[in-house]
Amino acid sequence: MARPDLDRWALLAALTASLAFGCKPEIGDECSVSTDCSNVGDRLCDTTQPGGYCTIFNCEPGTCPEEAICVAFYTSDSLVCQDPQEEDRLQRTFCLRSCGGNGDCRSGYACEDLSAKDNPWGAEVVEWGSPSGKVCVVPYSGTPLP
């Protein structure tokens, strides 16, 4: 008689494990709060992006998950703030979802090549050996800064 109870516990344990490990959110997924991206705090929700964007802030080359690459953004183009001995002090890095085309990105996002020099986002791909600088981002609308 004890066997059916053991089977139920085994089934419950298997279901719990599949829920816990089966559908881990990925970089670029929609979110409202950081726990939508990770329960352990290793990914954050960038709520400044439409629908939220699961990311990792302050990434370094080689630290993003396999579905993403590390991209640097600059908040100032001023040469006054640059130190020739260091990286730009205002640079911020984020893991962004890599893509091959627009179909790889969710609605409202486009697959854009941020490795292109002078791209309108002011971004630079810093990932080591990245075969492509294409990532899912909000399409740029507006005139690039001179």
Side-chain angles (χ1 to χ4, degrees), residues 69 98-100 111-113 115 125 127 129-135:
I69 60 174
S98 55
C99 56
C111 185
E112 299 287 347
D113 189 358
S115 64
V125 175
E127 190 66 43
S130 176
S132 167
K134 290 184 174 184
V135 294

Side-chain angles (χ1 to χ4, degrees), residues 45-64:
C45 180
D46 181 357
T47 57
T48 65
Q49 301 302 307
Y53 194 102
C54 288
T55 187
I56 297 173
F57 293 134
N58 299 322
C59 61
E60 294 181 12
T63 62
C64 293

Side-chain angles (χ1 to χ4, degrees), residues 112-130:
E112 299 287 347
D113 189 358
L114 298 190
S115 64
K117 189 169 175 73
D118 299 327
N119 64 68
W121 290 270
E124 175 185 349
V125 175
V126 295
E127 190 66 43
W128 293 325
S130 176

Side-chain angles (χ1 to χ4, degrees), residues 13-146:
L15 288 172
T16 302
S18 68
L19 289 174
F21 300 109
C23 297
K24 184 176 181 179
E26 294 186 339
I27 300 298
D29 282 355
E30 191 170 347
C31 57
S32 327
V33 294
S34 291
T35 52
D36 292 340
C37 303
S38 170
N39 287 330
V40 295
D42 60 340
R43 298 175 187 201
L44 301 173
C45 180
D46 181 357
T47 57
T48 65
Q49 301 302 307
Y53 194 102
C54 288
T55 187
I56 297 173
F57 293 134
N58 299 322
C59 61
E60 294 181 12
T63 62
C64 293
E66 66 182 33
E67 75 270 9
I69 60 174
C70 189
V71 177
F73 291 88
Y74 299 91
T75 58
S76 172
D77 288 331
S78 171
L79 296 177
V80 175
C81 296
Q82 289 183 336
D83 180 349
Q85 302 299 318
E86 295 182 23
E87 299 275 331
D88 185 335
R89 67 183 181 90
L90 300 176
Q91 173 183 299
R92 298 294 177 258
T93 56
F94 302 88
C95 289
L96 298 180
R97 173 107 186 169
S98 55
C99 56
N102 288 335
D104 297 332
C105 302
R106 67 180 219 245
S107 178
Y109 287 78
C111 185
E112 299 287 347
D113 189 358
L114 298 190
S115 64
K117 189 169 175 73
D118 299 327
N119 64 68
W121 290 270
E124 175 185 349
V125 175
V126 295
E127 190 66 43
W128 293 325
S130 176
S132 167
K134 290 184 174 184
V135 294
C136 297
V137 292
V138 176
Y140 193 87
S141 61
T143 306
L145 294 173

